[in-house]
Amino acid sequence: MGAMSVRIKSSEPSEATHRAGFACFVGRPNAGKSTLTNALVGQKVAITANQPQTTRHTVRGIVHREDAQLILVDTPGLHKPRTLLGQRLNDVVRTTWAEVDVIGFCLPANEKLGPGDRFIAKELAGIKKTPKVAIVTKTDLVDSKTLAEQLIAIDQLGKELGFEWAEIVPVSAVKDQQVDLLADLLVPLLPEGPALYPEGDLTDEPEQVMIAELIREAALEGVRDELPHSIAVVVEEMLPREDRPADKPLLDIHAFVYIERPSQKGIIIGPKGKRLKEVGIKSRKQIEALLGTPVFLDLHVKVAKDWQRDPKQLRKLGF
């Protein structure tokens, strides 16, 4: 195997130092980042979407431990920039990567390393100071020989690009295998210090951002290929409905789904408005679950011509 580090459990006892810091998981859209986040945090905290909603560090979840607090932040997906939005997102990604204490690169065990992985790894190689942990996800889908080959390939990838992985850890979030171990290995890479968030906190995303993301995710369901980036959601206002008895509150949420071209309107709305209605029902259920209160959701589709290329529009839409 050579100099590869695959530890099963570190035996040295941790001294009484407390550590706290930030980690982000990167990887191609289907690399299992969100499943892993949910497994680590122990419950579904935030809503996952392949495309970013906002550019500040959205906290995805917080792992509270006796000896440490590990805060998982989101980074927008890195992709080859084709538009102003793409470039801006990539800048955001690079600054986030440089600011976190550890980067976890998720690579599915059941897919050979591809150009997308190399593209991300090359970017990671440019971020010298931040320790990088390779996390081999979905190990429940492969046999041990395939897994071993993947571990060796990942080790090689680091060597080729001139950096050393801090750890290479195989996990299965679905089967909850080695998830605790991953936390054990990430913690020592964090700086010493007190907890940064109170115990009860799981996510600090403002509700409106989470709601916009839920709607966006529902709107993209099944049409991602046709509209990958050209959709933004803005929650215009959230108001408690007046004249409601205290035990039967209702929250009115008005939101706009922005698309770039009139031709995309039909895709989002669907024949006779059927699709938009489904999007509304689906996201409303999730919003109610998130807020714990009944919601009236008012959805409108608007065309913001070429918003991805227009800095004024981008700012208005929160990018």
Side-chain angles (χ1 to χ4, degrees):
M1 291 285 276
M4 206 164 66
S5 129
V6 179
R7 281 200 259 151
I8 298 305
K9 196 82 176 147
S10 62
S11 52
E12 63 257 33
S14 67
E15 282 77 68
T17 52
H18 186 279
R19 295 177 181 273
F22 294 86
C24 71
F25 292 151
V26 303
R28 287 180 294 115
N30 202 17
K33 302 185 289 283
S34 52
T35 319
L36 181 59
T37 300
N38 295 336
L40 272 167
V41 176
Q43 59 168 292
K44 198 157 167 39
V45 259
I47 303 82
T48 52
N50 287 338
Q51 276 87 26
Q53 255 303 14
T54 60
T55 49
R56 45 174 222 99
H57 302 331
T58 301
V59 170
R60 272 286 173 219
I62 300 171
V63 183
H64 297 280
R65 294 166 57 124
E66 288 285 293
D67 58 338
Q69 188 176 64
L70 174 67
I71 300 146
L72 303 172
V73 296
D74 210 10
T75 48
L78 190 78
H79 52 86
K80 300 193 168 84
R82 286 189 309 274
T83 58
L84 176 67
L85 175 64
Q87 274 163 350
R88 202 175 286 184
L89 292 182
N90 283 0
D91 294 343
V92 170
V93 172
R94 288 191 192 89
T95 50
T96 306
W97 288 3
E99 285 166 10
V100 296
D101 301 300
V102 56
I103 299 168
F105 184 14
C106 297
L107 299 131
N110 61 334
E111 294 173 34
K112 280 202 159 43
L113 298 185
D117 299 316
R118 275 172 201 286
F119 178 71
I120 296 174
K122 223 189 224 121
E123 290 287 334
L124 288 178
I127 295 179
K128 298 276 184 273
K129 286 205 278 288
T130 317
K132 298 166 253 313
V133 173
I135 305 167
V136 188
T137 58
K138 309 186 183 187
T139 55
D140 52 295
L141 300 179
V142 298
D143 58 22
S144 52
K145 183 171 168 289
T146 312
L147 179 57
E149 284 165 4
Q150 185 73 319
L151 294 172
I152 292 164
I154 291 167
D155 193 41
Q156 279 307 115
L157 180 62
K159 288 199 176 73
E160 261 169 57
L161 295 170
F163 70 86
E164 185 79 39
W165 297 106
E167 303 278 355
I168 299 177
V169 194
V171 301
S172 165
V174 173
K175 292 262 197 305
D176 201 22
Q177 285 161 349
Q178 306 240 101
V179 174
D180 289 341
L181 167 72
L182 173 61
D184 291 345
L185 297 178
L186 292 173
V187 164
L189 301 170
L190 303 176
E192 289 182 20
L196 300 164
Y197 286 86
E199 179 73 50
D201 285 12
L202 283 170
T203 173
D204 77 340
E205 266 188 273
E207 286 170 347
Q208 266 163 296
V209 174
M210 292 174 81
I211 289 166
E213 200 166 319
L214 275 176
I215 296 168
R216 187 169 189 279
E217 190 64 357
L220 277 172
E221 191 97 354
V223 295
R224 234 187 209 104
D225 300 341
E226 301 161 80
L227 303 164
H229 276 288
S230 30
I231 163 169
V233 174
V234 175
V235 173
E236 286 287 318
E237 56 176 16
M238 291 169 50
L239 294 167
R241 176 86 54 95
E242 289 181 7
D243 312 327
R244 296 282 293 199
D247 59 340
K248 291 212 173 113
L250 183 68
L251 188 66
D252 283 316
I253 299 178
H254 301 277
F256 288 105
V257 179
Y258 285 96
I259 48 181
E260 285 192 295
R261 293 186 294 281
S263 60
Q264 297 167 333
K265 216 167 173 171
I267 302 173
I268 288 282
I269 293 173
K272 295 203 170 91
K274 187 165 164 269
R275 201 167 170 280
L276 187 63
K277 204 169 173 178
E278 281 165 13
V279 168
I281 292 168
K282 184 174 179 193
S283 49
R284 193 193 77 230
K285 281 196 185 123
Q286 292 177 314
I287 293 164
E288 290 180 336
L290 173 77
L291 302 177
T293 172
V295 162
F296 174 80
L297 180 61
D298 178 38
L299 270 190
H300 291 279
V301 179
K302 273 191 169 181
V303 179
K305 209 166 146 26
D306 291 330
W307 62 263
Q308 292 190 27
R309 288 182 173 72
D310 176 354
K312 267 214 311 286
Q313 296 268 21
L314 277 175
R315 268 201 304 282
K316 196 175 98 189
L317 299 173
F319 288 103

